[in-house]
Structures are given as structure tokens and as C-alpha cells.
Amino acid sequence: MSKTIDRTTKPAPVTAVRASVPLRYRAALFGVAGVVVAAWGSWVPSLWGDEVTSLMSAERPLPSLFAMLRHVDAVHGTYYFGLHWWVAVFGPSPFSIRFPSAIAVGLMVAAVVVVATRVGSARLGVIAGVVCLLLPRVTYMGEEARSFAFSAAIVAWLTVILLELLRRESAPVWLWIAYGALLAVGIYVFLYVALFVLVHAVTLVAVRAPRHLLVRWATTAGIAAAITLPLVVFAVLERKQISYLASHDQLSPDTVFSSLWFGAPWFAAAAWALIVVAMVDVVRMRVRRAEAGVRPPFFETTRTPSLVLVASVWLFLPTLVLVLGSAAIPAFTARYVSFCAPAAALLIACGIEVLARGRRWVDAVALVALAALAAPIYFEQRTPYAKNDSDWAVISSVIGSHAVAGDAVVFDEGAHPSKKPRMAMHAYPAGFVNTRDVTLDVPYTANNGWADRAYSVAHAASLGRFDGIRRVWLLEYVNGGKADTYGTGDLERLGFEERGAVIHTHRGLIVEFTR
């Protein structure tokens, strides 16, 4: 019986594999490159709201952290717990708290190389590794102190394990335990990793996996899901925390086309074109097989999956579920599908391979072109205000250079929680060492929420907080060129006058008030 081989999944010749660098070393090399590319310049952008939330949560004493998680952010608790110990050892600098994400990107890139090599060829593995290094979503999440890079690394290695389970006639028990444990950890790190139960179920159905393998997989996935039920309960109880998503347009054409994984329209156009090339080529091969009277399975055998199918399900299924689910419950923003970025890299690599037809110079030209399109995005991600226009590093520096011992500081408490200037003090505390936080009510470490609780200026004054204060620095948030006026009237009624420094920053206004 003849066997038709799909070009996009054709294994490399044995001689080529033997002559090449062993896969484990090649994957490790790409992993190190992923860490370096992600970490380079990560100290430049100012920390922004979500990252400062990570930092503040990580710096809490453990009893305070656990108390907070019972009320908010339970879905991020595993990440905060890990970051707590990292900060205890390596400190809370922006580079330090972002570096774990760079490590996670390195692990993810290594997994992409393994998947593309085992299902495709050594050459395709190299192409996929380079594409993954260049992908704007990857370079972004690798310099952000959030859990998204970890979720991407976890689902990538889950896919590696799944392919290994498919490849082996009788997989050892430890491999099944590894799959279940990694799935459970992944869900605790980022709840939506649970969607990969569905992704891998579709993959197994398409592969026509043997009945015994389906039963073992379903049992393993079911046990992992059961272990994560406490997190699901907390997520439901704390669901109002993301209700703000309903008031923002999370599915604009620009978001869908560019922002999910590709960063800018020109890179997105090239990426989508290559993805379409890869998928159309698979359809064309199926049509040819049908015309030849050969039933065109998605998989060559039950042990050799089609990379295009695996990556397509990985890329589109979780995204589609979250988008459709958001119509009922707001639960989608572009960063939530960061764990699909490895699949985008795999599909782009398949598209390049189709166009190249074995010509290495075409591979090189395509990768250089992608690098040229990605470079402006990469460098823009590593500018001072790249993170949501945050300028808290600058604000801290200005206060540090102007304030003297005994000065008070008042923060704009009317801004959106993730944009409040108060967070500059927690992100970059060195600039505020000479100031007194006169409106502080309950510090975040003693609060069930993630942030400080503050008095109004009038209330703080009634408690005598301004007694003996001669100078106040008022920090206002500026939105669309217009500053808030929080606290200005109250300070004037207390006898303070706006005189001296009035300093504009990128998104802030610092005003000096003296009696």
C-alpha cells in the first residue's frame, strides 16, 4: 500500500539528522538566544500598573499575600508566590522582576524548536526557532513581569509531551505524570491554559489515536482539571475584577489583525500571508490526494502528526473560544492569547518552507525580511514609555531630585487604579525617601486588596496629617493632555499656594505647593 508524504511535514533525511547538531543542543542554543533577546533592554521601560501589582504582591509577607488572594487576584497567585521568592533572592529592580519572563521565553523557544523538528525536520526547527525569536508578542511578554510568558512556555512543552505520547507505542507512566502535572501547574499559573484540554482533545481526535491512549489522556487531563478546581471556584467568586473589560473595545480590527501576536500592520501582513500560504498548501495537497483516489488523512500515521494542523488548532481554537465567550462574559484581551504565539511561529515557519521549496537562500531572505520588519517593533518595546505610556521612573527621579526631608506628597487618587501616580512610589521608592505620605490610610500589606487605601486631602487634614508641613508635592495623572485637579482645592483651603516647580512628565504633572 503506497504512502503519501506531505511536504510540510516530511522528516529530514537520516543522513542530515545525523550530521546536524543533536536536537537537545540545538533547542538549548535557541533557548539561550530567547532569554538574551527577551531580556535585552528590559530594564529601560518604566514599570506599569500590572507589573507594579505583581511587584507589590510579591513583596508582601506570605500571610498578607494569602489573605489578599482570598479576595482578589487568586488566578495570579501562583505567579505572585514564585515571584515572592525570586525577589527575596534577586531584589525588586525592573530588570530582576522581568527576567523570569525572559527565562520562560527561552524555554518556550526551545519547545518550538523541538516540536518543529520532531514533526517536520531539523531545517524547519531552525526556521521556527528564528521566527519565534522575532515574534513581537514573544519579545513583549519576555520583558513583562506577568505570567503570560510562563503560560506560553507551559503549553509549548505540554505539546511536546503530547507528541511524545503519540509517538511511543507504550508511553511510560512518568510521561503521563509529567503531562498531568504540567497541565495542572499551567492552569494554576494562568487559568486559560485549561483551554488546552480542548486543543489537545481535537488533536487526538484528528490523529485517530488508539482507544487506550484516548482513555489514558482523558483520565490524566481529568485528574489535572480536578486538582485545579479550587482555583476555578476563586476565579468565579472574583470575576468582577475583570468586569472593566466590558467597557473597552477588545476586538477592534487593529487588535485582531496586529495586536494579538504581531505588533504592527506591516509585520502582521507578512505573518498572516505566510500563515495562509501554509494552510492553503495543506488544502492543495489534500485535493491532489483526493483526485488521486487516496483518502487524505490529517495525519500520515497515528504517530506522525501534521504540523500545520497541530499549530492551527493551537492558534485559532483558544482564541475563538475566548472571543465568543466574551460576548456573554467579558474575559478577553489581547494578552490573554499570548500562549498562542508559539503556534503562530510554527505556522509562519511552515509558510516559509512552502515558499522556499528546499532553497535555503529563500529561507534566509524570508527570515531577514521578517527581522527587518520586527526590528522597529522590538526597539520601540524597549523605550522608556513603552509600557502603557507609564512614566513612573521619571516621576520618581523628579521627586528625588527636588524633595527634601519633611516634604509631603499627595497623589491623584481619582485616576484609574492601574494608572494612579501613587504606584510610582511602590515601583521606584528611592525617589520618595524624603517625603511623607500624608494621605495614606491602610498600606497595601495590611489591605485585602492589592493597593493602598488612602484618605482624601480634607480627611487627612482633619486628622492633623498636614500639621507642620511647609511644602507639598502634588502628583496628578495626565490623560489626553489634560491633568486632573484632584486635591488642588483642598490644599488651597489649607493655606497652600501653587508656587515654585510645575513639572510636566510624559503622563504626569508634578506641582509644588507651599504654605
Side-chain angles (χ1 to χ4, degrees), residues 113-126:
V113 173
V114 172
V115 170
T117 302
R118 287 186 174 173
V119 181
S121 65
R123 174 168 155 262
L124 185 59
V126 171

Side-chain angles (χ1 to χ4, degrees), residues 472-476 498-499 501-503 509-513:
V472 175
W473 296 95
L474 176 63
L475 276 61
E476 302 276 17
E498 181 182 324
R499 57 172 74 162
V502 177
I503 303 168
L509 178 66
I510 303 172
V511 184
E512 180 184 1
F513 283 82

Side-chain angles (χ1 to χ4, degrees), residues 95-268:
F95 175 78
S96 172
I97 65 172
R98 286 167 171 163
F99 192 69
S101 293
I103 295 174
V105 161
L107 293 171
M108 180 200 68
V109 174
V112 166
V113 173
V114 172
V115 170
T117 302
R118 287 186 174 173
V119 181
S121 65
R123 174 168 155 262
L124 185 59
V126 171
I127 296 171
V130 174
V131 172
C132 200
L133 288 172
L134 298 174
L135 212 59
R137 175 57 64 184
V138 171
T139 55
Y140 181 89
M141 64 183 171
E143 59 151 6
E144 183 170 59
R146 298 297 280 176
S147 63
F148 300 111
F150 288 91
S151 70
I154 287 169
V155 300
W157 281 102
L158 267 178
T159 304
V160 170
I161 297 175
L162 182 74
L163 295 173
E164 186 65 16
L165 292 170
L166 284 169
R167 187 182 69 84
R168 299 195 183 197
E169 291 292 339
S170 180
V173 174
W174 70 263
L175 200 58
W176 287 103
I177 293 174
Y179 181 89
L182 189 58
L183 177 59
V185 170
I187 295 172
Y188 270 104
V189 168
F190 184 58
L191 182 62
Y192 291 160
V193 168
L195 291 171
F196 277 77
V197 174
L198 180 60
V199 171
H200 287 176
V202 171
T203 302
L204 291 172
V205 170
V207 79
R208 298 178 179 87
R211 181 181 179 86
H212 72 275
L213 191 147
L214 286 171
V215 171
R216 286 187 178 183
W217 174 83
T219 302
T220 304
I223 292 172
I227 292 171
T228 61
L229 278 177
L231 179 67
V232 175
V233 171
F234 275 106
V236 172
L237 294 175
E238 298 175 5
R239 64 188 182 278
K240 291 183 179 180
Q241 191 175 344
I242 58 172
S243 60
Y244 73 92
L245 294 175
S247 62
H248 295 73
D249 183 9
Q250 304 293 335
L251 291 171
S252 67
D254 179 65
T255 297
V256 174
F257 184 71
S258 302
S259 300
L260 297 183
W261 307 292
F262 307 130
W266 286 111
F267 189 97

Side-chain angles (χ1 to χ4, degrees), residues 453-469:
R453 202 158 58 228
Y455 294 122
S456 67
V457 172
H459 192 172
S462 71
L463 298 175
R465 296 287 186 89
F466 287 88
D467 293 353
I469 298 294

Side-chain angles (χ1 to χ4, degrees), residues 172-438:
V173 174
W174 70 263
L175 200 58
W176 287 103
I177 293 174
Y179 181 89
L182 189 58
L183 177 59
V185 170
I187 295 172
Y188 270 104
V189 168
F190 184 58
L191 182 62
Y192 291 160
V193 168
L195 291 171
F196 277 77
V197 174
L198 180 60
V199 171
H200 287 176
V202 171
T203 302
L204 291 172
V205 170
V207 79
R208 298 178 179 87
R211 181 181 179 86
H212 72 275
L213 191 147
L214 286 171
V215 171
R216 286 187 178 183
W217 174 83
T219 302
T220 304
I223 292 172
I227 292 171
T228 61
L229 278 177
L231 179 67
V232 175
V233 171
F234 275 106
V236 172
L237 294 175
E238 298 175 5
R239 64 188 182 278
K240 291 183 179 180
Q241 191 175 344
I242 58 172
S243 60
Y244 73 92
L245 294 175
S247 62
H248 295 73
D249 183 9
Q250 304 293 335
L251 291 171
S252 67
D254 179 65
T255 297
V256 174
F257 184 71
S258 302
S259 300
L260 297 183
W261 307 292
F262 307 130
W266 286 111
F267 189 97
W272 282 117
L274 289 167
I275 290 172
V276 169
V277 166
M279 299 179 73
V280 167
D281 188 67
V282 169
V283 173
R284 183 177 62 83
M285 294 296 293
R286 286 171 57 82
V287 171
R288 282 190 177 183
R289 289 172 177 173
E291 291 174 348
V294 179
R295 185 180 181 183
F298 281 115
F299 288 75
E300 300 305 328
T301 71
T302 57
R303 307 298 177 191
T304 309
S306 162
L307 183 58
V308 172
L309 177 66
V310 172
S312 297
V313 175
W314 181 351
L315 183 69
F316 295 113
L317 186 56
T319 306
L320 186 62
V321 170
L322 289 175
V323 168
L324 295 178
S326 291
I329 303 174
F332 179 83
T333 187
R335 292 184 302 155
Y336 289 177
V337 291
S338 296
F339 53 23
C340 297
L346 290 169
L347 286 171
I348 293 169
C350 289
I352 292 174
E353 187 187 48
V354 171
L355 294 178
R357 308 286 183 187
R359 296 167 295 182
R360 294 185 181 277
W361 69 268
V362 177
D363 294 339
V365 169
L367 292 175
V368 169
L370 282 178
L373 292 172
I377 306 170
Y378 178 81
F379 291 115
E380 176 64 26
Q381 289 172 349
R382 283 147 179 80
T383 54
Y385 310 127
K387 295 290 187 180
N388 209 30
D389 278 338
S390 173
D391 61 351
W392 293 333
V394 173
I395 288 175
S396 174
S397 176
V398 170
I399 293 295
S401 63
H402 287 76
V404 298
D407 286 359
V409 61
V410 170
F411 300 97
D412 178 359
E413 303 294 345
H416 185 278
S418 66
K419 299 180 184 296
K420 287 183 177 180
R422 169 177 290 278
M423 298 184 78
M425 180 175 61
H426 297 300
Y428 302 94
F432 294 85
V433 293
N434 287 325
T435 63
R436 293 169 54 185
D437 184 3
V438 289

